[in-house]
Amino acid sequence: MQSKFFSQTNTIINPKGKWYYGIEIGNNDVSSLMESNSKSYFPFQAGIGAEYYFSRHWSLSSRIKLYETGVSFYKPGHSSSGGFLNLDSDPYYGTFYGAVVSIPIDIKWEFRIYKNLGGSLKIGPTYNFETKSLYYNYSPNLSPDYPKQYAGFNSGFGLNYFINKKVSLFIDVESFSGASKGYSDAFFGKNEYLTQNNLTNFGIKYNIKN
């Protein structure tokens, strides 16, 4: 017998004015790590959150996400042969491994695809707290002493399906851009090396009240 919790409806769901609370788990791809450094990373990530629909197609959400991150970079030095211009430069390199509690706050637009299946786009700021900060093999011209709390940026897209007026299933892919963990000198200014994570979420959210 199918439970009432997962019983489906043919009615088009309008979530306007409702709060949904959810959990999500999924894959974590640390794109800011070079391939030689990324294989040792644990790819699991998870989160909990709340979402309020202030219209049928628009919502605000806040979540608490836990995932690992990192940065690795290498820029070789350059030695010129003298002359009018001095083009000498030092090498820049380093590897950072960390774990982050991230709090993204997103505005999301949902558009109907078919009945209660919809697509979504979201964007917003994040605030991040590092729970692990490990710095390895940094070049002498860099000081690996970076803040453990910092702002970032989040964006994503996905699919959402309302089983009924209380339960929704979703899958989405999102990108988190975080703090700089190093730099190298460039012809115009500096190249910053930021933490970059691509997360794939599978989740369920539930409306407590009718």
Side-chain angles (χ1 to χ4, degrees), residues 138-209:
Y138 268 65
S139 55
N141 51 3
L142 293 175
S143 177
D145 183 20
Y146 298 96
K148 292 187 176 182
Q149 299 183 24
Y150 50 86
F153 181 76
N154 166 243
S155 62
F157 61 92
L159 294 172
N160 183 78
Y161 178 68
F162 283 98
I163 296 176
N164 52 50
K165 65 181 180 180
K166 300 187 76 67
V167 182
S168 175
L169 301 176
F170 63 89
I171 177 175
D172 62 37
V173 178
E174 57 184 343
S175 174
F176 282 78
S177 179
S180 172
K181 296 298 180 180
Y183 70 88
S184 61
D185 284 333
F187 192 76
F188 296 102
K190 295 180 179 180
N191 290 323
E192 299 283 350
Y193 300 101
L194 308 178
T195 58
Q196 297 281 348
N197 289 70
N198 297 317
L199 309 185
T200 302
N201 302 307
F202 302 90
I204 183 171
K205 55 189 180 184
Y206 180 70
N207 171 240
I208 297 176
K209 297 181 178 180

Side-chain angles (χ1 to χ4, degrees), residues 8-23:
Q8 297 188 41
T9 179
N10 291 321
T11 303
I12 303 301
I13 302 300
N14 182 1
K16 180 180 178 180
K18 294 183 173 61
W19 281 95
Y20 286 83
Y21 303 90
I23 59 174

Side-chain angles (χ1 to χ4, degrees), residues 75-78 88-92 141:
K75 180 183 178 183
H78 176 78
D88 289 354
S89 64
D90 295 327
Y92 291 84
N141 51 3

Side-chain angles (χ1 to χ4, degrees), residues 58-69:
W58 290 90
S59 67
L60 282 172
S61 69
S62 179
R63 292 170 292 153
I64 300 175
K65 298 285 291 181
L66 176 62
Y67 58 88
E68 292 185 312
T69 189

